[in-house]
Amino acid sequence: MISVGKTFLMPSGQNKEHLFFVILGPVDIEFLPRQQFLLVNATSIRPDIPYDDACILNAGDHPFINTTSYIAYRYARLETKNHLEQLLGIVLKPHADCSPELLERIIDGARKSRQIRKELKVLFL
């Protein structure tokens, strides 16, 4: 079942999987299908590559995170409940739930980030 605080691995990038966090939902947004969830992913910090510092994750903040990482708010995405449930266990691999403290840090980062799309940022105001 999809709900806030759930995490899963999803293929993205060059033959890699990223950890995605469900940070909002289900919400109904005008002009979109009902029951939307907002997802953000964690990405490792690499030397000499700019990154969004709104929410930094340290090794151990979540069982999957083993190196300093950040939440890539610029790639935040809305997905419908039905679509996520169809992919769960096939493309999406469930992972350990996010702790309430980490979830709050990620949501706070969404409020601070300059890289999250404005139409998504307003969902947190």
Side-chain angles (χ1 to χ4, degrees):
M1 183 168 146
I2 305 296
S3 62
V4 172
K6 297 290 184 189
T7 71
F8 47 84
L9 297 174
M10 182 188 319
S12 65
Q14 299 171 336
N15 299 320
K16 293 182 181 180
E17 293 180 317
H18 283 95
L19 183 68
F20 281 78
F21 297 84
V22 179
I23 64 167
L24 182 70
V27 295
D28 293 332
I29 301 171
E30 194 173 2
F31 305 116
L32 290 176
R34 296 176 61 90
Q35 304 280 295
Q36 296 281 327
F37 286 88
L38 182 60
L39 313 175
V40 295
N41 74 284
T43 301
S44 299
I45 293 176
R46 304 275 184 230
D48 302 322
I49 298 177
Y51 62 91
D52 185 349
D53 65 357
C55 184
I56 304 298
L57 305 180
N58 297 303
D61 281 348
H62 180 275
F64 183 77
I65 304 297
N66 58 19
T67 187
T68 306
S69 302
Y70 69 101
I71 298 296
Y73 293 105
R74 67 189 263 177
Y75 300 118
R77 56 198 287 173
L78 287 170
E79 295 285 352
T80 65
K81 178 181 178 182
N82 289 342
H83 186 240
L84 290 172
E85 288 178 346
Q86 288 173 353
L87 296 177
L88 200 57
I90 300 169
V91 175
L92 307 179
K93 298 176 188 170
H95 212 287
D97 289 353
C98 181
S99 72
E101 296 81 14
L102 180 55
L103 178 62
E104 192 56 41
R105 283 177 46 208
I106 294 170
I107 291 170
D108 188 51
R111 291 183 184 113
K112 294 176 185 173
S113 177
R114 293 186 195 143
Q115 295 189 10
I116 193 169
R117 294 189 321 264
K118 291 177 187 175
E119 62 270 20
L120 300 178
K121 190 171 204 157
V122 298
L123 298 172
F124 294 99
L125 302 176

